[in-house]
Amino acid sequence: MVKCPRCGYENASSSVYCDNCAYLLSEKNSARVTKENKPGRWNVGIARKIVIVLGIIVIALLLFSFAFNNSQPSHNDTLNVIYDDGSHHQSSTYPFKAIVKGDGNWYAEMGNPDYLVSKSGSGSKSFSLDCAAWDDVEINAQKYSGEGELSIQLLRNGKVVAENSTTNGTDSVSIYFDS
C-alpha cells in the first residue's frame, strides 16, 4: 500500500495516481507508464539497431555476390569448346595430312568422320588434318568441272597411306582410313 502525500489516502502499491485526489504518487512509476504504455512510438535505440543490422546484411550480400560472380569461370570456359583456325598444327600431334590435286575447281570434306572440315580450291593443295594418330580419317572430294583429273592422298607422318583419283566428268573420290 502507498499513502498519498497530499491527502493521506491509502492506495494500492501498483497505483500511479491517487484514487482520491489524482495526485502523482511517484516519478518512478510515471516514467514507466510513459515509456511502456504509449502506443505508436518507437524507441530510437531499437530502430537504430534494426537499421544497422539490415545495413550489415545488405553489405554482406553485396560482397558475397561480388565474390561469387568473380570466382565463376566465364560461359565459354565451361563449354570445353576448342577454337581452331588451322594455324597451330604440329606433325607430332596431328600426324595426318591430306593432299588434293585437281586440274580445275574442286570441293573436299576431310578429317575425323564425326567432324569433317570443308575446303574448296583449285590446283594442288595440302591440308593438315585435326586428327590424332588413333582417329579414323575420311576424305571426300568432288570436281566442279568435267575435265581433267582429281586425286586425293592421305599421308600419315609424311608417308602415303591411301590414295584415290578419277578422270570422269564431275565425279567424286573418297578415302576412308581406319586407324
Side-chain angles (χ1 to χ4, degrees), residues 69-96:
N69 287 336
N70 287 338
S71 67
Q72 298 300 311
S74 71
H75 183 65
N76 286 342
D77 292 341
T78 61
L79 293 177
N80 294 327
V81 175
I82 299 171
Y83 298 99
D84 182 22
D85 64 357
S87 63
H88 294 90
H89 294 294
Q90 300 171 355
S91 61
S92 61
T93 306
Y94 302 109
F96 291 103

Side-chain angles (χ1 to χ4, degrees), residues 39-107:
R41 284 196 56 141
W42 272 86
N43 184 344
V44 176
I46 293 174
R48 184 177 294 153
K49 289 176 185 174
I50 289 173
V51 168
I52 289 171
V53 169
L54 288 176
I56 290 171
I57 290 172
V58 167
I59 290 170
L61 287 173
L62 288 173
L63 287 175
F64 174 75
S65 173
F66 178 75
F68 180 76
N69 287 336
N70 287 338
S71 67
Q72 298 300 311
S74 71
H75 183 65
N76 286 342
D77 292 341
T78 61
L79 293 177
N80 294 327
V81 175
I82 299 171
Y83 298 99
D84 182 22
D85 64 357
S87 63
H88 294 90
H89 294 294
Q90 300 171 355
S91 61
S92 61
T93 306
Y94 302 109
F96 291 103
K97 185 179 270 192
I99 298 175
V100 181
K101 297 177 187 173
D103 293 333
N105 294 330
W106 48 263
Y107 170 81

Side-chain angles (χ1 to χ4, degrees), residues 120-149:
S120 60
S122 61
S124 178
K125 293 206 177 179
S126 175
F127 303 98
S128 293
L129 301 180
D130 187 12
C131 298
W134 55 85
D135 284 340
D136 294 340
V137 179
E138 183 175 349
I139 303 173
N140 300 311
Q142 182 171 358
K143 294 192 292 183
Y144 286 138
S145 57
E147 295 145 16
E149 181 179 11

Side-chain angles (χ1 to χ4, degrees), residues 139-143 150-152 164-166 171-175:
I139 303 173
N140 300 311
Q142 182 171 358
K143 294 192 292 183
L150 176 65
S151 67
I152 54 176
N164 199 354
S165 65
T166 184
D171 221 359
S172 63
V173 290
S174 296
I175 294 175

